[in-house]
Amino acid sequence: MDVETESTTSLSTNTPVEEVFERSLRPKNFSEVIGRVLEKENLKIMIDSAKKRKKALDHILFYGPPGLGKTSFAHVIANEFGSNIYVTNGSLITKVSDIASILTAQEEHSILFIDEIHRLKPQIEEVLYPAMEDNMLDILIGKGSSAKTLRIELPKITIIGATTKLAMLSMPFRERFGLIMRLDFYSIDELVEIIMQKADMLGTNISVEQAWQIAKRARMTSRVAIRILKRARDIAIFRNLNEITKEVVDEVMYLLAIDKHGLDDLDRSLIKSIYNNFNNKPVGLNSLSASLSEDQDTVENVHEPYLLKIGIINRTPKGRVLTDKGVKIALELLKL
């Protein structure tokens, strides 16, 4: 079990320079968050209300495809509310004693951020029920007829969860969150703005035109856009250039094997597999993953959402099939 503690007011002087630098790319307040207009408005109201009432924030659950800012939003909320944030992952909390030690170590009005919260075991969820509703921790002592429940009062904290699989959370657990928000894909214009913002933070020059070239092939995802931007920066430095040029963008796309549609190697393999191996007949996730030698979670949560969003595949009751657009791309890839 591992918990990372981050202060909203300072960073340890022992933190490596590069780690501090990378962390600084995250937005620190709502004014630095690009897009997300309704989400920001809802959160601003919630934070202002909690401050005036001198109460902890309601519990918040963010869900949606990976790389769209769920973790960044949690840190922004902590900064805006003026509290410390404690970061952990659902897969790391394996025993009741793990979550008990985390909860009892919290400070009043602090924020506990649980990434991949869908990975929590059912017994861990059940421990969180009274913690989220009544700020109480129920611990079972003993076994059988002599078993007793010990109630421990907890600090009033806020749990922020992030998940790519909302359906894996039980209904009673979901209902204990006061605000549930889906973070959807970014528009191209929003990604251009994000790229320009991060380029400035990185001390890198890039034109709006080249930012647009990156944005349109960034899978509508901020994390991907920033990753491509960083690699483009590296190439520009390697070439002794003071700007990310068209040639640099073309080179980074070649090196990362990203095509004009924003597809990577696995995307292309998936499209070709449905068309070639399954004759574009509906194919289940298990069979498709096996044909790609890739785990189901990666196919379902990393690649499928983008391919569905841009209309390349459809998910039917019988399985995945290519759309007309998908067939056209498959023919291009197979050069038929």
Side-chain angles (χ1 to χ4, degrees):
M1 185 273 297
D2 185 26
V3 183
E4 174 191 352
T5 306
E6 293 188 22
S7 170
T8 59
T9 56
S10 65
L11 288 169
S12 168
T13 55
N14 296 322
T15 305
V17 173
E18 183 65 17
E19 184 180 338
V20 174
F21 182 63
E22 294 299 326
R23 208 178 269 182
S24 70
L25 290 179
R26 280 188 184 142
K28 298 175 182 62
N29 49 56
F30 288 128
S31 64
E32 293 182 4
V33 176
I34 307 298
R36 310 300 189 203
V37 176
L38 288 177
E39 291 88 345
K40 288 190 290 187
E41 190 62 29
N42 271 292
L43 291 168
K44 284 178 183 177
I45 291 170
M46 176 185 282
I47 291 170
D48 184 66
S49 172
K51 282 182 175 178
K52 289 177 178 176
R53 292 181 290 110
K54 297 182 179 179
K55 299 288 185 181
L57 288 169
D58 279 349
H59 307 295
I60 302 167
L61 180 63
F62 292 115
Y63 73 100
L68 296 177
K70 295 184 284 292
T71 301
S72 292
F73 246 136
H75 283 81
V76 167
I77 291 167
N79 283 327
E80 292 279 358
F81 193 57
S83 62
N84 286 338
I85 182 168
Y86 299 79
V87 180
T88 189
N89 189 291
S91 63
L92 300 176
I93 306 172
T94 59
K95 303 188 295 291
V96 170
S97 58
D98 291 339
I99 192 64
S101 64
I102 291 171
L103 292 172
T104 53
Q106 300 302 299
E107 304 162 6
E108 194 77 5
H109 294 181
S110 63
I111 290 173
L112 173 61
F113 175 63
I114 306 176
D115 199 9
E116 297 188 2
I117 198 169
H118 60 273
R119 293 183 180 273
L120 291 176
K121 296 179 179 179
Q123 61 265 34
I124 305 296
E125 284 189 10
E126 290 172 7
V127 172
L128 286 173
Y129 293 167
M132 295 173 75
E133 285 192 323
D134 306 315
N135 303 111
M136 289 291 179
L137 176 63
D138 292 337
I139 299 178
L140 187 66
I141 300 176
K143 295 181 180 180
S145 59
S146 62
K148 294 181 180 180
T149 300
L150 175 65
R151 294 210 102 187
I152 300 174
E153 187 172 357
L154 297 170
K156 296 176 177 62
I157 66 168
T158 298
I159 291 177
I160 299 180
T163 178
T164 56
K165 296 182 176 182
L166 183 65
M168 287 186 66
L169 275 67
S170 67
M171 182 63 74
F173 192 34
R174 292 203 304 266
E175 288 177 346
R176 282 166 169 80
F177 288 92
L179 183 64
I180 300 177
M181 284 187 168
R182 172 178 168 81
L183 298 186
D184 208 343
F185 290 104
Y186 285 95
S187 70
I188 300 298
D189 288 340
E190 287 171 338
L191 285 178
V192 169
E193 195 173 346
I194 289 171
I195 292 166
M196 298 299 291
Q197 179 195 60
K198 303 309 179 189
D200 185 59
M201 291 179 178
L202 290 167
T204 300
N205 295 317
I206 186 171
S207 67
V208 173
E209 181 182 356
Q210 297 315 313
W212 189 83
Q213 290 297 329
I214 292 175
K216 73 175 184 177
R217 287 180 277 187
R219 306 178 71 85
M220 306 169 78
T221 303
S222 56
R223 182 182 296 163
V224 175
I226 295 167
R227 185 166 64 236
I228 296 172
L229 173 66
K230 287 180 179 179
R231 300 293 70 78
R233 171 205 58 185
D234 293 343
I235 292 172
I237 292 172
F238 180 73
R239 302 293 181 199
N240 295 316
L241 300 172
N242 58 12
E243 183 180 6
I244 295 174
T245 62
K246 179 183 182 302
E247 289 73 24
V248 169
V249 173
D250 289 343
E251 184 174 355
V252 76
M253 295 305 173
Y254 170 76
L255 292 173
L256 296 178
I258 298 172
D259 67 17
K260 63 182 180 181
H261 304 289
L263 305 176
D264 62 19
D265 280 334
L266 188 58
D267 294 323
R268 292 189 288 271
S269 295
L270 185 151
I271 292 167
K272 289 188 287 187
S273 181
I274 294 176
Y275 187 86
N276 249 358
N277 299 347
F278 301 98
N279 298 314
N280 200 26
K281 300 288 176 55
V283 54
L285 179 60
N286 186 49
S287 298
L288 184 57
S289 300
S291 74
L292 298 169
S293 299
E294 188 59 71
D295 68 271
Q296 294 184 27
D297 192 63
T298 300
V299 173
E300 185 178 25
N301 294 303
V302 178
H303 294 271
E304 269 195 357
Y306 176 65
L307 297 177
L308 286 164
K309 186 73 174 181
I310 63 175
I312 287 179
I313 64 171
N314 271 335
R315 254 195 323 225
T316 71
K318 292 183 178 180
R320 284 79 176 155
V321 294
L322 296 177
T323 62
D324 291 342
K325 179 180 178 180
V327 170
K328 183 178 178 181
I329 291 175
L331 294 173
E332 287 178 12
L333 294 173
L334 295 165
K335 302 189 185 306
L336 297 176

